[in-house]
Amino acid sequence: MELLRFTTAGSVDDGKSTLIGRLLLDSKAILEDQWEAVERASRQRGDAYLDLALLTDGLRAEREQGITIDVAYRFFATARRKFIIADTPGHIQYTRNMVTGASTAELAIVLIDARHGVVTQSKRHGFLAALLQIPHVLVAVNKMDLVDFSQTAFQSIVAEYQAFASKLTVQDITYIPISALHGDNVVDKSVAMPWYDGPTLLHHLENVKTGSSRNLVDFRFPVQMAVRPHQNFRGFAGQVLSGTLTPGEEVVVLPSGKTSRVRTLTTLDGDLAEVAAGDAVVLTLEDEIDISRGDMIVRRNNLPQSASQFECILCWLSEKPLDVQGSYILQHTTRQLRAFVAELNYRIDVDTLHREAATTLQLNDIGRVRLTTTQPLFYDPYQINRATGSFILIDPFTNATVAAGMIRRRAQELDELVGSEPERSRSSNVVWESSALTRAMREERNRHKGGILWFTGLSGSGKSTVARLLERRLFAAGVQTFSLDGDNVRHGLNGDLGFSAADRKENIRRVAEVAKLALEHGHLVLCTFISPFAADRAFARSLTPAGRFFEIYVKCTLEVLKRRDPKGLYARALRGEIPEFTGVSSPYEEPVAAELVVETDVCSTEEIVEAIWEELLRRGILSF
Amino acid sequence: MNTVNYLRPYLRQLEAEAIYILREVVAQTERPILLFSGGKDSILLVHLARRAFYPGRIPFPLLHIDTGHNFPETLAFRDRLVEQVGVQLLVRSVQDSIDQGRVVEEKGPTASRNALQTVTLLDALAEFKADAAIGGARRDEEKARAKERFFSHRDRFGQWDPKNQRPELWSLYNGRKHQGEHFRVFPISNWTEMDVWQYMREKQVELPELYFTHLRAVFERDGMLLAESPYIGHLPGEEVRRQQVRFRTIGDMTCTGAVVSTAATIDDVIAEITVSRFTERGTRADDKRTETAMEDRKRQGYF
């Protein structure tokens, strides 16, 4: 017999309690004395009907106020399966309770009232189920009796929910039309809905594939404690969170990195030939290695990720809001360590799924956050491994559990780790106005990163030609581009500047600042400027986060340039008509460490654009 | 090669969960104690604790709060088990609390020491400086217990605040607390009565004979069959008769009802429960006092 843990979400109005009562009653999990107790309590409250919520709402405050406060656990079994229901209330502290119930569930029942169709709450349930990576969602369209068991009504609800669910990453959604009150399609097939030929709700619960959220590939064994009853035995107790292991396999202990081989998998029933995800065991090794609680034993050729900074989704569970300046205790597997918020990226509106700028997270808020821990964490992304991708945050003063976290991935690059706020010599009294929407948020939506492509080179070398073709290609691929060209800025923004060394410097300074603003708005900025002085280019680079500035030296020999001379400028400069013309009467300091050097007198524009494109892919700016 | 079935039978999952929690208690608290009543759930806990720390010994003592109204069979079984397993047993008695004037005994034929236990228990936890008390409560037993956590926080006065419980997610148990506070920990929260019996059958765990059919002097009160004992008086019209009975739960002789039964083995018991129309706590007078009797006692620090 297998075990299926599922969660039910919804309010009393959706008929959730009626459905649970029906399942419990029909599977004989409610017995006569409980039934009598409900009858007694219903009579006392003067209700004309039996309120099945009284079966689950055990607390005095719940009964008095007629609301469900906390997650209630209910149990029933059929000949095929044992079920644990985490029944989450619909109104109060909704997100907190649903997240709690969903964290251990393999299936979520989302109840929809057939009369009202898909409402905000139905979407909220679906979103949270997807967020917590519940493998199976069962959408039960209830109260079909009140819409005359209409197939059209059912189908339109299914169509509407499907459209919504296509935006979520849910592996499996099943739709079943039911009437919990009358029992249609709950345990027995409905005679009133002959048009429906799918499974009944209970049949689906009994047959849905279990264990699909278990990871049987990546062996992860966080040590709970060392077991050392006498000199001759030294074992490490824990639960296999994922993967499998057999004696003789080579393992690594994290964080020490020491390796050994598995000697035994010890239990009271004798040593085992293999352990798998979920098993509690005591593991002994061939070598004497210092191992204690919080260490993780893994296979040598399959290591988890390790980082002290990572991206995660936080569900805030406390009345006391997130303190972005504060520190928390992070509990992950069997470890506790200190954690700080490096950046609060955004809050997700659970009803609209929109991302919003946020300065804190309140009770029931869900947000994307980058956390820093004092020591590296050994984890897998939650999507791959629920057990090693999840954590809780604990308030170090009250010891309350304040947040549930799901790790998405390691924080990606250094530039995301350090603040990009520039140091300024002048205007130091001006407060840097950080946009409430962060670059990371914009980049997330753009599906590419921001960056500055700084094309430098002699006049006529082909900077603009290359940039224009590249920009067209970027535009076609949906990339947010922004173009700054030497000629066009000098018409307006820099119309007051000439070509003296000082003015050139100021010209580049202004352009670099504008480029930076555009970068912060998530754009890929193409700057085409002769920018002959290494110091000016270095200044532009200094404003830009590491890894986001690409100096592209567009190279072409002076001989070729003089021959090309499309604007006739070289001819005029050589005649002495243009003072301080770069390459003729003013120096050009060749880049010594450009990210890319392209030679327009050797390669075609198309080839050069291709080379730049490849480089952007390689550096992770673009990812197609 | 053998094909390995990665889907563990549900009993193995429940067992692993309980073992994980028992180890977490030991790792996260300083002086855990196991509350031992002599009933099948606490016997199961002892059994699971042996497995959790094998080949080591159970690293915490058992605490028995003796009401003085125990079945003699319970005490005999307790002492035998303690010797077999090799675990330390601590006993504190309600009688001492009465003698010390800590509590006042209820009077009359329906008197029970059930509520008095709470004081003795909290005194004992303070005496042994226990910061975690492991108990055998299950969520299926009673509706207030349906909302109980695995790691259930208690304030300095041993009280439970059901509206302000720490959420428990995944299998991450937050055992942090301030000085003077403690935890009640319930490793078998997710087991049902049937699960307990199925497990006992599978592992061939020995149980007190009270759980199986035997001939006993009983009398009927409020629809329950109570055992004749020196601790309980009779109301007018209550007649003692001898019957084949067994107990589904074991508490005090004053408040634990027997059921008429011929079940002599675990298999028989399982067959009986399968067709039963009543829950096991239906035999408990202490739960029937008011609709929220269990929650009220739990708030005060009851088991």
PDB file of all heavy atoms in Angstrom, chain B residues 32 45 50 52 59 64 67 69 72 82 88 94 98 101 115 131 145 148 152 216 218-219 226 229 241 243 261 281 285:
ATOM      1  N   PRO B  32      16.204  15.911  26.408  1.00  0.00           N
ATOM      2  CA  PRO B  32      14.889  15.367  26.064  1.00  0.00           C
ATOM      3  C   PRO B  32      14.492  14.250  27.017  1.00  0.00           C
ATOM      4  O   PRO B  32      15.340  13.644  27.677  1.00  0.00           O
ATOM      5  CB  PRO B  32      15.090  14.848  24.637  1.00  0.00           C
ATOM      6  CG  PRO B  32      16.549  14.649  24.491  1.00  0.00           C
ATOM      7  CD  PRO B  32      17.254  15.532  25.477  1.00  0.00           C
ATOM      8  N   LEU B  45       6.733   4.308  20.623  1.00  0.00           N
ATOM      9  CA  LEU B  45       7.800   5.311  20.652  1.00  0.00           C
ATOM     10  C   LEU B  45       9.115   4.715  21.131  1.00  0.00           C
ATOM     11  O   LEU B  45      10.180   4.999  20.575  1.00  0.00           O
ATOM     12  CB  LEU B  45       7.421   6.474  21.570  1.00  0.00           C
ATOM     13  CG  LEU B  45       6.472   7.532  21.020  1.00  0.00           C
ATOM     14  CD1 LEU B  45       6.290   8.633  22.054  1.00  0.00           C
ATOM     15  CD2 LEU B  45       7.007   8.115  19.716  1.00  0.00           C
ATOM     16  N   ARG B  50      14.546   2.924  19.794  1.00  0.00           N
ATOM     17  CA  ARG B  50      15.606   1.910  19.686  1.00  0.00           C
ATOM     18  C   ARG B  50      16.177   1.896  18.273  1.00  0.00           C
ATOM     19  O   ARG B  50      17.379   1.819  18.062  1.00  0.00           O
ATOM     20  CB  ARG B  50      15.047   0.514  20.003  1.00  0.00           C
ATOM     21  CG  ARG B  50      14.996   0.177  21.459  1.00  0.00           C
ATOM     22  CD  ARG B  50      14.532  -1.253  21.620  1.00  0.00           C
ATOM     23  NE  ARG B  50      15.546  -2.223  21.182  1.00  0.00           N
ATOM     24  CZ  ARG B  50      15.243  -3.440  20.738  1.00  0.00           C
ATOM     25  NH1 ARG B  50      13.988  -3.826  20.641  1.00  0.00           N
ATOM     26  NH2 ARG B  50      16.193  -4.265  20.375  1.00  0.00           N
ATOM     27  N   ALA B  52      16.017   4.312  16.053  1.00  0.00           N
ATOM     28  CA  ALA B  52      16.616   5.598  15.652  1.00  0.00           C
ATOM     29  C   ALA B  52      18.084   5.688  16.052  1.00  0.00           C
ATOM     30  O   ALA B  52      18.875   6.294  15.334  1.00  0.00           O
ATOM     31  CB  ALA B  52      15.828   6.751  16.257  1.00  0.00           C
ATOM     32  N   PRO B  59      19.124   7.602  23.952  1.00  0.00           N
ATOM     33  CA  PRO B  59      19.886   8.616  24.695  1.00  0.00           C
ATOM     34  C   PRO B  59      19.036   9.521  25.579  1.00  0.00           C
ATOM     35  O   PRO B  59      19.432  10.640  25.855  1.00  0.00           O
ATOM     36  CB  PRO B  59      20.549   9.420  23.559  1.00  0.00           C
ATOM     37  CG  PRO B  59      19.609   9.297  22.412  1.00  0.00           C
ATOM     38  CD  PRO B  59      18.888   7.996  22.554  1.00  0.00           C
ATOM     39  N   HIS B  64       7.533   8.405  33.503  1.00  0.00           N
ATOM     40  CA  HIS B  64       6.160   7.921  33.697  1.00  0.00           C
ATOM     41  C   HIS B  64       5.500   8.756  34.788  1.00  0.00           C
ATOM     42  O   HIS B  64       6.007   8.839  35.908  1.00  0.00           O
ATOM     43  CB  HIS B  64       6.168   6.437  34.090  1.00  0.00           C
ATOM     44  CG  HIS B  64       4.774   5.870  34.207  1.00  0.00           C
ATOM     45  ND1 HIS B  64       4.435   4.888  35.103  1.00  0.00           N
ATOM     46  CD2 HIS B  64       3.635   6.171  33.533  1.00  0.00           C
ATOM     47  CE1 HIS B  64       3.131   4.605  34.974  1.00  0.00           C
ATOM     48  NE2 HIS B  64       2.636   5.374  34.019  1.00  0.00           N
ATOM     49  N   THR B  67      -0.374   8.047  38.048  1.00  0.00           N
ATOM     50  CA  THR B  67      -1.532   8.628  38.728  1.00  0.00           C
ATOM     51  C   THR B  67      -1.883   7.848  39.988  1.00  0.00           C
ATOM     52  O   THR B  67      -2.684   8.295  40.790  1.00  0.00           O
ATOM     53  CB  THR B  67      -2.767   8.596  37.805  1.00  0.00           C
ATOM     54  OG1 THR B  67      -3.007   7.230  37.451  1.00  0.00           O
ATOM     55  CG2 THR B  67      -2.548   9.426  36.563  1.00  0.00           C
ATOM     56  N   HIS B  69      -3.515   5.279  39.738  1.00  0.00           N
ATOM     57  CA  HIS B  69      -4.717   4.569  39.316  1.00  0.00           C
ATOM     58  C   HIS B  69      -4.447   3.672  38.114  1.00  0.00           C
ATOM     59  O   HIS B  69      -5.325   3.384  37.329  1.00  0.00           O
ATOM     60  CB  HIS B  69      -5.835   5.567  38.965  1.00  0.00           C
ATOM     61  CG  HIS B  69      -6.368   6.300  40.149  1.00  0.00           C
ATOM     62  ND1 HIS B  69      -7.270   7.332  40.056  1.00  0.00           N
ATOM     63  CD2 HIS B  69      -6.123   6.149  41.475  1.00  0.00           C
ATOM     64  CE1 HIS B  69      -7.563   7.785  41.276  1.00  0.00           C
ATOM     65  NE2 HIS B  69      -6.872   7.086  42.143  1.00  0.00           N
ATOM     66  N   PRO B  72      -2.525  -2.640  37.096  1.00  0.00           N
ATOM     67  CA  PRO B  72      -1.292  -3.309  37.541  1.00  0.00           C
ATOM     68  C   PRO B  72      -0.552  -3.938  36.365  1.00  0.00           C
ATOM     69  O   PRO B  72       0.683  -3.979  36.343  1.00  0.00           O
ATOM     70  CB  PRO B  72      -1.796  -4.383  38.518  1.00  0.00           C
ATOM     71  CG  PRO B  72      -3.290  -4.371  38.456  1.00  0.00           C
ATOM     72  CD  PRO B  72      -3.727  -3.116  37.787  1.00  0.00           C
ATOM     73  N   VAL B  82      11.444  -1.798  30.207  1.00  0.00           N
ATOM     74  CA  VAL B  82      12.595  -0.973  30.569  1.00  0.00           C
ATOM     75  C   VAL B  82      13.843  -1.841  30.723  1.00  0.00           C
ATOM     76  O   VAL B  82      14.937  -1.478  30.287  1.00  0.00           O
ATOM     77  CB  VAL B  82      12.278  -0.191  31.868  1.00  0.00           C
ATOM     78  CG1 VAL B  82      13.542   0.337  32.502  1.00  0.00           C
ATOM     79  CG2 VAL B  82      11.303   0.937  31.567  1.00  0.00           C
ATOM     80  N   GLN B  88      16.723   4.211  30.944  1.00  0.00           N
ATOM     81  CA  GLN B  88      16.472   4.719  32.285  1.00  0.00           C
ATOM     82  C   GLN B  88      14.991   5.081  32.443  1.00  0.00           C
ATOM     83  O   GLN B  88      14.389   5.671  31.550  1.00  0.00           O
ATOM     84  CB  GLN B  88      17.338   5.964  32.516  1.00  0.00           C
ATOM     85  CG  GLN B  88      17.293   6.460  33.955  1.00  0.00           C
ATOM     86  CD  GLN B  88      17.901   7.839  34.117  1.00  0.00           C
ATOM     87  OE1 GLN B  88      18.397   8.437  33.158  1.00  0.00           O
ATOM     88  NE2 GLN B  88      17.865   8.356  35.330  1.00  0.00           N
ATOM     89  N   VAL B  94       1.352  11.363  41.001  1.00  0.00           N
ATOM     90  CA  VAL B  94       0.337  12.346  41.320  1.00  0.00           C
ATOM     91  C   VAL B  94       0.066  12.348  42.821  1.00  0.00           C
ATOM     92  O   VAL B  94      -0.194  13.389  43.420  1.00  0.00           O
ATOM     93  CB  VAL B  94      -0.958  12.042  40.527  1.00  0.00           C
ATOM     94  CG1 VAL B  94      -2.094  12.962  40.940  1.00  0.00           C
ATOM     95  CG2 VAL B  94      -0.699  12.172  39.028  1.00  0.00           C
ATOM     96  N   ILE B  98      -0.338  15.466  45.400  1.00  0.00           N
ATOM     97  CA  ILE B  98      -1.481  15.661  46.304  1.00  0.00           C
ATOM     98  C   ILE B  98      -0.969  15.842  47.725  1.00  0.00           C
ATOM     99  O   ILE B  98      -1.353  16.785  48.424  1.00  0.00           O
ATOM    100  CB  ILE B  98      -2.443  14.450  46.223  1.00  0.00           C
ATOM    101  CG1 ILE B  98      -3.079  14.387  44.828  1.00  0.00           C
ATOM    102  CG2 ILE B  98      -3.518  14.543  47.304  1.00  0.00           C
ATOM    103  CD1 ILE B  98      -3.821  13.088  44.550  1.00  0.00           C
ATOM    104  N   GLY B 101       0.400  19.062  48.499  1.00  0.00           N
ATOM    105  CA  GLY B 101      -0.548  20.171  48.398  1.00  0.00           C
ATOM    106  C   GLY B 101      -0.468  20.926  47.090  1.00  0.00           C
ATOM    107  O   GLY B 101      -0.998  22.024  46.968  1.00  0.00           O
ATOM    108  N   ALA B 115      -6.769  15.147  35.132  1.00  0.00           N
ATOM    109  CA  ALA B 115      -6.385  16.552  35.020  1.00  0.00           C
ATOM    110  C   ALA B 115      -5.232  16.887  35.962  1.00  0.00           C
ATOM    111  O   ALA B 115      -4.440  17.790  35.693  1.00  0.00           O
ATOM    112  CB  ALA B 115      -7.592  17.439  35.316  1.00  0.00           C
ATOM    113  N   ASP B 131      14.019  19.902  28.347  1.00  0.00           N
ATOM    114  CA  ASP B 131      13.624  20.947  27.398  1.00  0.00           C
ATOM    115  C   ASP B 131      12.894  20.362  26.193  1.00  0.00           C
ATOM    116  O   ASP B 131      12.567  21.077  25.257  1.00  0.00           O
ATOM    117  CB  ASP B 131      14.820  21.808  26.977  1.00  0.00           C
ATOM    118  CG  ASP B 131      15.947  21.001  26.359  1.00  0.00           C
ATOM    119  OD1 ASP B 131      15.865  19.753  26.362  1.00  0.00           O
ATOM    120  OD2 ASP B 131      16.913  21.604  25.868  1.00  0.00           O
ATOM    121  N   ARG B 145      -5.856  17.744  18.388  1.00  0.00           N
ATOM    122  CA  ARG B 145      -4.545  17.195  18.035  1.00  0.00           C
ATOM    123  C   ARG B 145      -4.300  17.218  16.525  1.00  0.00           C
ATOM    124  O   ARG B 145      -3.168  17.112  16.088  1.00  0.00           O
ATOM    125  CB  ARG B 145      -4.409  15.777  18.588  1.00  0.00           C
ATOM    126  CG  ARG B 145      -4.142  15.784  20.082  1.00  0.00           C
ATOM    127  CD  ARG B 145      -3.897  14.405  20.624  1.00  0.00           C
ATOM    128  NE  ARG B 145      -3.415  14.497  22.009  1.00  0.00           N
ATOM    129  CZ  ARG B 145      -3.355  13.480  22.842  1.00  0.00           C
ATOM    130  NH1 ARG B 145      -3.744  12.288  22.458  1.00  0.00           N
ATOM    131  NH2 ARG B 145      -2.902  13.631  24.063  1.00  0.00           N
ATOM    132  N   GLU B 148      -1.899  19.911  15.731  1.00  0.00           N
ATOM    133  CA  GLU B 148      -0.668  19.913  16.507  1.00  0.00           C
ATOM    134  C   GLU B 148       0.545  19.799  15.588  1.00  0.00           C
ATOM    135  O   GLU B 148       0.475  19.186  14.532  1.00  0.00           O
ATOM    136  CB  GLU B 148      -0.733  18.722  17.473  1.00  0.00           C
ATOM    137  CG  GLU B 148       0.390  18.585  18.435  1.00  0.00           C
ATOM    138  CD  GLU B 148       0.507  19.759  19.382  1.00  0.00           C
ATOM    139  OE1 GLU B 148       1.182  20.734  19.005  1.00  0.00           O
ATOM    140  OE2 GLU B 148      -0.075  19.700  20.478  1.00  0.00           O
ATOM    141  N   SER B 152       6.202  21.041  18.994  1.00  0.00           N
ATOM    142  CA  SER B 152       5.182  21.947  19.487  1.00  0.00           C
ATOM    143  C   SER B 152       5.746  22.770  20.632  1.00  0.00           C
ATOM    144  O   SER B 152       6.125  22.236  21.673  1.00  0.00           O
ATOM    145  CB  SER B 152       3.977  21.130  19.932  1.00  0.00           C
ATOM    146  OG  SER B 152       2.926  21.965  20.299  1.00  0.00           O
ATOM    147  N   ARG B 216     -13.009  -9.931  32.737  1.00  0.00           N
ATOM    148  CA  ARG B 216     -12.790  -8.855  33.705  1.00  0.00           C
ATOM    149  C   ARG B 216     -14.113  -8.405  34.315  1.00  0.00           C
ATOM    150  O   ARG B 216     -15.157  -8.445  33.666  1.00  0.00           O
ATOM    151  CB  ARG B 216     -12.128  -7.669  32.991  1.00  0.00           C
ATOM    152  CG  ARG B 216     -11.825  -6.482  33.890  1.00  0.00           C
ATOM    153  CD  ARG B 216     -11.059  -5.405  33.154  1.00  0.00           C
ATOM    154  NE  ARG B 216      -9.664  -5.771  32.898  1.00  0.00           N
ATOM    155  CZ  ARG B 216      -8.662  -5.548  33.744  1.00  0.00           C
ATOM    156  NH1 ARG B 216      -8.882  -4.967  34.902  1.00  0.00           N
ATOM    157  NH2 ARG B 216      -7.441  -5.902  33.432  1.00  0.00           N
ATOM    158  N   VAL B 218     -16.513  -5.673  35.173  1.00  0.00           N
ATOM    159  CA  VAL B 218     -16.750  -4.336  34.619  1.00  0.00           C
ATOM    160  C   VAL B 218     -18.149  -3.856  35.000  1.00  0.00           C
ATOM    161  O   VAL B 218     -19.006  -4.655  35.405  1.00  0.00           O
ATOM    162  CB  VAL B 218     -16.629  -4.330  33.077  1.00  0.00           C
ATOM    163  CG1 VAL B 218     -15.202  -4.576  32.636  1.00  0.00           C
ATOM    164  CG2 VAL B 218     -17.565  -5.346  32.452  1.00  0.00           C
ATOM    165  N   PHE B 219     -18.358  -2.562  34.880  1.00  0.00           N
ATOM    166  CA  PHE B 219     -19.706  -2.025  35.052  1.00  0.00           C
ATOM    167  C   PHE B 219     -19.892  -0.910  34.037  1.00  0.00           C
ATOM    168  O   PHE B 219     -18.920  -0.361  33.505  1.00  0.00           O
ATOM    169  CB  PHE B 219     -19.919  -1.524  36.491  1.00  0.00           C
ATOM    170  CG  PHE B 219     -19.040  -0.369  36.854  1.00  0.00           C
ATOM    171  CD1 PHE B 219     -19.485   0.951  36.680  1.00  0.00           C
ATOM    172  CD2 PHE B 219     -17.767  -0.577  37.376  1.00  0.00           C
ATOM    173  CE1 PHE B 219     -18.667   2.015  37.020  1.00  0.00           C
ATOM    174  CE2 PHE B 219     -16.956   0.488  37.718  1.00  0.00           C
ATOM    175  CZ  PHE B 219     -17.392   1.792  37.537  1.00  0.00           C
ATOM    176  N   LEU B 226     -16.480   0.368  32.391  1.00  0.00           N
ATOM    177  CA  LEU B 226     -15.310   0.681  33.208  1.00  0.00           C
ATOM    178  C   LEU B 226     -14.916  -0.548  34.031  1.00  0.00           C
ATOM    179  O   LEU B 226     -15.763  -1.343  34.448  1.00  0.00           O
ATOM    180  CB  LEU B 226     -15.616   1.854  34.141  1.00  0.00           C
ATOM    181  CG  LEU B 226     -15.847   3.206  33.473  1.00  0.00           C
ATOM    182  CD1 LEU B 226     -16.180   4.272  34.500  1.00  0.00           C
ATOM    183  CD2 LEU B 226     -14.627   3.625  32.646  1.00  0.00           C
ATOM    184  N   SER B 229     -12.421  -1.411  40.141  1.00  0.00           N
ATOM    185  CA  SER B 229     -11.121  -1.191  40.770  1.00  0.00           C
ATOM    186  C   SER B 229     -11.319  -0.457  42.079  1.00  0.00           C
ATOM    187  O   SER B 229     -12.381   0.114  42.327  1.00  0.00           O
ATOM    188  CB  SER B 229     -10.221  -0.359  39.846  1.00  0.00           C
ATOM    189  OG  SER B 229     -10.590   1.003  39.927  1.00  0.00           O
ATOM    190  N   ARG B 241     -20.388  -6.785  36.423  1.00  0.00           N
ATOM    191  CA  ARG B 241     -20.527  -8.102  35.812  1.00  0.00           C
ATOM    192  C   ARG B 241     -19.188  -8.519  35.204  1.00  0.00           C
ATOM    193  O   ARG B 241     -18.307  -7.693  34.980  1.00  0.00           O
ATOM    194  CB  ARG B 241     -21.623  -8.094  34.746  1.00  0.00           C
ATOM    195  CG  ARG B 241     -21.403  -7.093  33.626  1.00  0.00           C
ATOM    196  CD  ARG B 241     -22.529  -7.209  32.582  1.00  0.00           C
ATOM    197  NE  ARG B 241     -22.242  -6.429  31.394  1.00  0.00           N
ATOM    198  CZ  ARG B 241     -22.693  -5.179  31.196  1.00  0.00           C
ATOM    199  NH1 ARG B 241     -23.414  -4.551  32.111  1.00  0.00           N
ATOM    200  NH2 ARG B 241     -22.395  -4.544  30.070  1.00  0.00           N
ATOM    201  N   GLN B 243     -17.033 -10.016  32.093  1.00  0.00           N
ATOM    202  CA  GLN B 243     -17.210 -10.092  30.645  1.00  0.00           C
ATOM    203  C   GLN B 243     -15.879 -10.257  29.922  1.00  0.00           C
ATOM    204  O   GLN B 243     -14.834  -9.871  30.447  1.00  0.00           O
ATOM    205  CB  GLN B 243     -17.883  -8.796  30.156  1.00  0.00           C
ATOM    206  CG  GLN B 243     -19.229  -9.055  29.507  1.00  0.00           C
ATOM    207  CD  GLN B 243     -19.907  -7.786  29.047  1.00  0.00           C
ATOM    208  OE1 GLN B 243     -19.855  -6.754  29.731  1.00  0.00           O
ATOM    209  NE2 GLN B 243     -20.548  -7.857  27.911  1.00  0.00           N
ATOM    210  N   SER B 261     -15.010  -7.824  23.539  1.00  0.00           N
ATOM    211  CA  SER B 261     -14.200  -8.290  22.419  1.00  0.00           C
ATOM    212  C   SER B 261     -13.688  -9.694  22.669  1.00  0.00           C
ATOM    213  O   SER B 261     -13.449 -10.098  23.809  1.00  0.00           O
ATOM    214  CB  SER B 261     -13.001  -7.355  22.235  1.00  0.00           C
ATOM    215  OG  SER B 261     -12.073  -7.919  21.333  1.00  0.00           O
ATOM    216  N   ARG B 281     -10.856   6.852  20.985  1.00  0.00           N
ATOM    217  CA  ARG B 281     -11.033   7.765  22.107  1.00  0.00           C
ATOM    218  C   ARG B 281     -12.487   7.852  22.550  1.00  0.00           C
ATOM    219  O   ARG B 281     -12.807   8.482  23.540  1.00  0.00           O
ATOM    220  CB  ARG B 281     -10.453   9.141  21.813  1.00  0.00           C
ATOM    221  CG  ARG B 281      -8.920   9.101  21.800  1.00  0.00           C
ATOM    222  CD  ARG B 281      -8.258  10.421  22.111  1.00  0.00           C
ATOM    223  NE  ARG B 281      -8.203  10.768  23.514  1.00  0.00           N
ATOM    224  CZ  ARG B 281      -7.202  10.442  24.326  1.00  0.00           C
ATOM    225  NH1 ARG B 281      -6.194   9.744  23.897  1.00  0.00           N
ATOM    226  NH2 ARG B 281      -7.216  10.829  25.584  1.00  0.00           N
ATOM    227  N   ALA B 285     -13.457   8.690  28.910  1.00  0.00           N
ATOM    228  CA  ALA B 285     -14.368   9.613  29.582  1.00  0.00           C
ATOM    229  C   ALA B 285     -13.759  11.004  29.669  1.00  0.00           C
ATOM    230  O   ALA B 285     -14.471  12.008  29.657  1.00  0.00           O
ATOM    231  CB  ALA B 285     -14.689   9.100  30.986  1.00  0.00           C
TER     232      ALA B 285
END
